């Protein structure tokens, strides 16, 4: 594996990228830095934040690099939203996908993202909600920081299994 490449708006994905970099010893690059430092077709793990069920920056990363696994960092609990996300980014079944719970930092949200989250709160507040939507609405409103090493366990297991296969 050549690198972990990530996109982060308010820092949660960056924090997970650093945790995974430390645990695996794979170099970590923010996506713009990666463009300068990594060759095209480098073998990477791509990490981005969840945005309306898709993963920010994935499409661009997949055009340029050989993506071996994808991590989506969102507000949803770790390990959830997998089917929706895979569908939203048309990720092949053969590429492993992980979701990790990041958080919601209202103070760091700017511009269009702040606007969109406010719209989502308004929309969800008005409608009849499923239990999942209800949980999501209160998480969005409350905000919080949920980055935790234990949310990386499934990824680390996958990584150790794939690397030990090659020995
Ligand atoms: C406009 C917008 C849309 C979002 N859509 C989703 C979503 O579909 N699913 C989810 O779990 N989280 C969603 N989130 C929450 C972010 O993915 C979450 O705050 C994440 O931790 C941000 O990562 P970052 O700090 O690396 O930017 C959304 C946030 C914003 C601002």
């Amino acid at each position: 594996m050549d690198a972990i490449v990530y996109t982060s708006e308010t820092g949660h994905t960056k924090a997970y990228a650093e945790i995974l970099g430390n645990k695996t010893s794979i170099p970590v690059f923010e996506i713009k830095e990666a463009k300068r430092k990594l060759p095209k077709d480098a073998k990477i793990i791509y990490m981005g934040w969840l945005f309306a069920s898709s993963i920010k920056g994935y499409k661009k990363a997949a055009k340029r690099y050989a993506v071996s696994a994808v991590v989506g960092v969102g507000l949803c609990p770790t390990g959830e939203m997998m089917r929706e996300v895979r569908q939203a980014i048309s990720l092949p079944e053969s590429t492993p996908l992980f979701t990790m719970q990041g958080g919601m930092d209202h103070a760091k949200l700017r511009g269009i993202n702040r606007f969109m989250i406010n719209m989502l709160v308004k929309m969800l507040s008005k409608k009849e909600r499923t239990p999942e939507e209800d949980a999501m609405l209160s998480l969005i409103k409350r905000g919080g920081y949920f980055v935790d090493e234990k949310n990386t366990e499934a990824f680390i297991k996958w990584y150790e299994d794939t690397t030990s296969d090659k020995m």
Side-chain angles (χ1 to χ4, degrees):
M1 200 71 63
D2 300 320
I4 292 171
V5 176
Y6 73 89
T7 303
S8 184
E9 189 70 25
T10 61
H12 305 97
T13 313
K14 182 175 198 264
Y16 276 120
E18 280 161 4
I19 294 173
L20 297 190
N22 281 334
K23 286 188 167 232
T24 59
S25 303
I26 303 171
V28 177
F29 301 104
E30 196 276 324
I31 195 153
K32 285 195 193 112
E33 188 189 7
K35 208 169 171 185
R36 295 193 303 270
K37 296 195 175 155
L38 281 180
K40 268 193 173 178
D41 296 325
K43 197 174 168 196
I44 67 153
I45 290 159
Y46 182 72
M47 304 180 67
W49 58 282
L50 292 185
F51 173 89
S53 300
S54 73
I55 296 188
K56 274 278 174 176
Y58 168 74
K59 287 264 153 75
K60 260 191 195 162
K63 270 192 199 143
R64 191 173 176 93
Y65 306 112
V67 178
S68 302
V70 176
V71 178
V73 175
L75 200 51
C76 69
T78 298
E80 292 191 7
M81 297 266 295
M82 311 277 262
R83 204 166 18 89
E84 294 88 335
V85 172
R86 190 176 282 283
Q87 197 180 3
I89 63 170
S90 307
L91 187 70
E93 285 296 330
S94 54
T95 308
L97 170 69
F98 303 89
T99 58
M100 296 175 193
Q101 192 173 36
M104 175 62 54
D105 187 339
H106 291 283
K108 286 190 190 151
L109 270 183
R110 296 273 173 271
I112 186 78
N113 293 323
R114 174 186 280 270
F115 176 78
M116 285 182 75
I117 216 70
N118 289 339
M119 294 279 290
L120 186 63
V121 167
K122 271 195 198 137
M123 193 195 81
L124 285 175
S125 304
K126 276 190 214 148
K127 77 193 270 281
E128 208 169 295
R129 295 179 293 280
T130 64
E132 291 78 20
E133 286 171 335
D134 213 39
M136 183 60 97
L137 178 61
S138 60
L139 266 183
I140 295 174
K141 282 195 191 156
R142 216 177 331 129
Y145 186 84
F146 309 109
V147 174
D148 191 318
E149 235 184 82
K150 75 173 189 306
N151 295 333
T152 68
E153 278 169 7
F155 175 91
I156 295 298
K157 185 176 182 315
W158 164 80
Y159 182 73
E160 286 173 352
D161 287 351
T162 31
T163 43
S164 67
D165 280 354
K166 290 191 183 123
M167 296 204 343

